[in-house]
Structures are given as structure tokens and as C-alpha cells.
Amino acid sequence: MAITRTTSADAPESLTQGLVRLIHTKPVTQADYDVAALFTLDAVANILAGRNSTPGKVLLDWWQARASNEMPEPSRLAFLMGALCHILETDDLHRESVVHPGCVVVPAVWALANKMKTPGHDVLRAVLHGFEATTRVGMAVGPAHYRIWHNTATCGPYGSAMAAAWLLDLDAPQAVHALGNAGSQSSGLWQFLETGAMTKHLHAGHAAEAGLKAADLAAFGFTGPAKILEGEKGFFKAACPDARPEMVLATPDAPWQLRRTSIKPWPSCRHTHPAIDAAEELRVALGKFNEREIHSVEVGTYQAALDVCDRPVSDSEYEAKFSLQHTVAAALLFPHVDFAAFNEESRAKAASLALRVKPMVEEPYKSAYPVNWGARARVILNDGSEFETRRENAKGDPEAPLNHADMVAKAEMLLAHGGVRNPKSVIDGVLGLAKNGALPDLSLL
């Protein structure tokens, strides 16, 4: 991979030029490959599990109706894999950027590397590059962006473009063109939350496809704007009223951002996880109890959690995954917050208690966000007794990570949900990338 500067003395380096330089010169260790393989496994397991869902079946019906006998173009396959990956709400999450990198980056890498027969270390380096680009842009957009725009959708194309640029052996100027055209395709609004529409899955698929296509075009000489981020008609001006451009290139010597990314243990919006974690502890502390003994449940959290997940009544499985009220009630009532905790029967069982869950914004969680995603849960019984616990971070965060066995167990659970007949071959094959092995055959479609 050629590493060159793209500026001259009279042309200051743009943010995308600096980002390409930062990523190209960042060293990769065997430990980085090992962790990247685990994150790749998590995304692959989510993709295969996502097929077993109503939106997944719609996507597969669409795919089969448009299929031909030829190998699909990588960008089209990346769209499908990205959309499937983001369905079950069990994919990874980078807190500071509020981006789900895996559902955008891994599909783009997999679709392209599968066609190119890329060896494992290059696959994982591309994954590291993609996570770095999308999260660094995400950390710079500012909190106001997230109130209207879905960061995974808007920042994701930068990640898929940067990952594909490595696989396509683009030099620095070509990679800048790829990022410029990827960023020009940034889109994705939160409006779907009002009705629980399937739009969120399209966001991940489009972000994976857009960046890959931008990189592929750059390989043929198609140019893009170097100042797509900070330009007068660029991304920050258009959609980020409180952007923090300095975050794009901040702390260049920090560990790869993939290693700052959280893994979800529960199939719901990550904003609900600190409260689930706290409520599970309270369930154990309370022992056997009747739900009618609970007068109310207080949940202290940060503003973004309420913006996205303040939903006292959940009329669908998807709405329940974006409800602090349902997820906390489920964590108090059920032994496991798993896929079954969101079905119609479980929603009915939790509905009464969910109406007594009162989320509120409070310190220290308000100020700690987005660096730390924490919560407080307090159960108040009818007799006046109170039980409380707090979380500075959630299970699966870098400060409370899932270990190797936990990650493999989660993959096994997802692959079983997806009906994969030989999950061990998928797990061993993906983890083998860290030893520079070949991509396993997913037999996805």
C-alpha cells in the first residue's frame, strides 16, 4: 500500500487527507488482528441471524427476485449483508461516535474480499481501517446531529470506503476521492421510529454499499471532494450544527477505535443496556417477588437515551427494543433478556410494569455521555422499601468487556437463531482470519 501525502506547501491538508494519512501509518499488531477477528465474527453472526426475522425475510425475497446466475456485484451484496446485520439490534456500538461500525464495514469488506480472494490479515486490516474512519467522523459530528440523523447511516459510508480502499490498494489521493464521494452520499433520518418501519436496516445496507462503490470508482479515476467534511458546502455545514472537526484527527496514537467499540449482550438498542444491566442486578437482589409489589421504577440516564428510547407502550417487537420501559421491566421480570423477551407474549406480561418505569435525565450520566453510557435503576416497593444500583458503563463496553468465550457463545446463539447447520465451521473460519487464513464459505444466499 503506497503511503503519500496529498498536499503541497500552498494547499493545507484537508481533514479527509489527514484521516487517510493517520490510518495508513497506524501500526497493526497480532493482538489487533485477534480482536478484529472477534468483531468480524460478531458481525457475520448477526448477518446470518438477521435472516430469521420479518425484515430479513423481506430482504431475502427481494434479493431472490432480483438474483441472476452470475456472482452478484460486491456493492449489491454489501447492501444485503449490511441490512441483515442491523436487524436484530445485537450488533456492535462505538459509544463516542454513536455508530454501529460492524454492520457497515464488515459487509463491505466481506463482499469485496470474497470476490478478490483476499488473505485474512488484509481482510482484518481493512476492518480496522473502516472502523477507524467511520468512528472518527462520528466523534466529530456533535450531539445535535444525532437528534435527526442516524450516525451509522451518515458516518458509515466513510468507513466502508476506507475499508474498501485498502482492499483495492488505492493510494492516498485515490482514498481521499473515495471518502469524498462516500461522504456526499451520507443520509439516514430517524423518522422511522414513529412507526417502527424497516428503514433502519436500509441505512446500514446503503452505507456499506455507498462507500464500497465510491472506492471502486476511485480506482478507475473518479474524483471526489477533499473537503467533504469541513468545506463550506460539506457534511459538517449541512448536517452538524455543533460539529467538532478536531476530533477527526485527535489522539492519532491511541489504540485502534475498534478496540474502543462495545459488543451488545442483549438484543435491544444499546441506549437501554446500562439500565438492563442495573435492573438485572436488582432482580437478583429482590429474589422471588410479585410484580404487583412494585410501586414504581426510576431510571436515571442521559438525554440521548430518552430521545430514542422513551416509549412506555410497545406495540411491536421492534418498538420494545427501543423502549427503556419495556427493557427494564423485562430485566426485572424475566431470567434472560433474550429474543423471546420482546415477543408478543412477553410484551403483554411486562406491559403493566413498563408503565411504572419512569426514565429521567440526571447526572452524572448526562455529562458523561457519550464517553460513558451509564444508568441508575431504583425499584420502589409498595411498602416504601427501595433498592438501587448504578452503572457507569454497560456490560460489553471496553471497561466491562465480553471475554473470548462470551463472544463465541454469543456467536453460537446468533448462528443457532439463523438456522446455521454447522456453526463451528463459521466460527473457526472467521477466527482463522487472525492467522491469515482464507475467508470461510458462508453459503449465505
Side-chain angles (χ1 to χ4, degrees), residues 221-260:
F222 203 82
T223 61
K227 292 187 177 182
I228 187 61
L229 292 172
E230 74 273 29
E232 286 301 310
K233 293 179 173 61
F235 181 45
F236 291 158
K237 285 282 188 181
C240 309
D242 55 358
R244 300 181 295 168
E246 69 279 2
M247 295 302 295
V248 176
L249 304 179
T251 59
D253 297 326
W256 288 95
Q257 291 300 321
L258 180 144
R259 305 191 73 158
R260 291 288 304 158

Side-chain angles (χ1 to χ4, degrees), residues 97-98 141-151 190 269 271 304 307-308 369 373:
S97 63
V98 204
V141 298
H145 179 82
Y146 187 66
R147 296 189 188 113
I148 295 174
W149 301 94
H150 181 199
N151 290 16
W190 281 115
C269 177
H271 290 308
D307 290 343
V308 178
Y369 177 84
W373 294 27

Side-chain angles (χ1 to χ4, degrees), residues 158-327:
Y158 297 95
S160 54
M162 195 70 220
W166 175 261
L167 296 176
L168 293 167
D169 198 27
L170 301 190
D171 63 20
Q174 289 173 314
V176 170
H177 291 314
L179 290 177
N181 285 328
S184 197
Q185 299 176 76
S186 292
S187 62
L189 300 165
W190 281 115
Q191 183 62 31
F192 67 87
L193 282 175
E194 287 192 7
T195 60
M198 298 177 183
T199 312
K200 191 167 188 272
H201 322 316
L202 182 150
H203 285 178
H206 172 261
E209 178 183 29
L212 196 163
K213 188 175 293 183
D216 200 22
L217 284 166
F220 283 82
F222 203 82
T223 61
K227 292 187 177 182
I228 187 61
L229 292 172
E230 74 273 29
E232 286 301 310
K233 293 179 173 61
F235 181 45
F236 291 158
K237 285 282 188 181
C240 309
D242 55 358
R244 300 181 295 168
E246 69 279 2
M247 295 302 295
V248 176
L249 304 179
T251 59
D253 297 326
W256 288 95
Q257 291 300 321
L258 180 144
R259 305 191 73 158
R260 291 288 304 158
T261 302
S262 302
I263 291 289
K264 287 183 173 184
W266 300 294
S268 61
C269 177
R270 186 61 173 173
H271 290 308
T272 67
H273 283 208
I276 291 174
D277 201 3
E280 282 202 330
E281 182 181 338
L282 289 177
R283 184 189 72 241
V284 174
L286 288 166
K288 291 185 178 181
F289 67 95
N290 190 311
E291 173 257 322
R292 286 174 292 185
E293 296 177 51
I294 298 178
H295 176 269
S296 60
V297 183
E298 294 179 359
V299 176
T301 186
Y302 47 89
Q303 185 63 52
L306 264 66
D307 290 343
V308 178
C309 297
D310 185 5
R311 192 163 283 102
V313 177
S314 301
D315 293 324
S316 68
E317 182 175 323
Y318 198 67
E319 287 185 0
K321 292 185 175 192
F322 283 83
S323 168
L324 278 164
Q325 289 87 344
H326 174 80
T327 51

